[in-house]
């Protein structure tokens, strides 16, 4: 289960890492590629914006996944006897 706080912190320090933690591979790769471009292209001005947006989206996506898992009764967990 993804934890929203962990996803947000990971993605704040390295944009895209929180998305990868959530299992969103393409979203994670997007932020890993886009953020350095904004850092370099704007002299750092929009780089910070990408950090905050990546952290916020990782947090909200982890909350969505957590809510879905809780409402469906943890279908991904298998009890081993």
């Amino acid at each position: 289960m993804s934890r929203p706080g962990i996803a947000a912190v990971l993605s704040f320090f390295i944009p895209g890492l929180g998305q990868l933690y959530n299992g969103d591979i393409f979203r994670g790769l997007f932020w890993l590629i886009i953020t350095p471009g904004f850092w370099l292209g704007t002299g750092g001005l929009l780089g910070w914006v990408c950090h905050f947006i990546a952290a916020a989206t990782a947090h909200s996506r982890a909350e969505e996944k957590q809510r879905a898992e809780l409402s469906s009764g943890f279908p991904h967990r298998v009890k081993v006897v």
Side-chain angles (χ1 to χ4, degrees):
M1 177 186 306
S2 295
R3 295 186 179 186
I6 292 173
V9 170
L10 289 172
S11 211
F12 178 75
F13 287 111
I14 301 174
L17 193 57
Q19 284 80 359
L20 294 174
Y21 170 76
N22 288 336
D24 297 327
I25 305 300
F26 292 115
R27 289 176 191 229
L29 292 175
F30 170 80
W31 286 110
L32 283 169
I33 293 169
I34 293 298
T35 303
F38 274 103
W39 272 106
L40 296 173
T42 64
L45 191 60
L46 293 179
W48 286 110
V49 173
C50 284
H51 277 263
F52 286 112
I53 293 173
T57 58
H59 183 274
S60 65
R61 184 77 169 144
E63 280 185 334
E64 288 175 15
K65 287 187 171 209
Q66 189 177 45
R67 229 177 287 121
E69 286 179 358
L70 290 173
S71 67
S72 65
F74 298 99
H76 303 301
R77 306 228 176 182
V78 176
K79 184 176 181 180
V80 178
V81 179

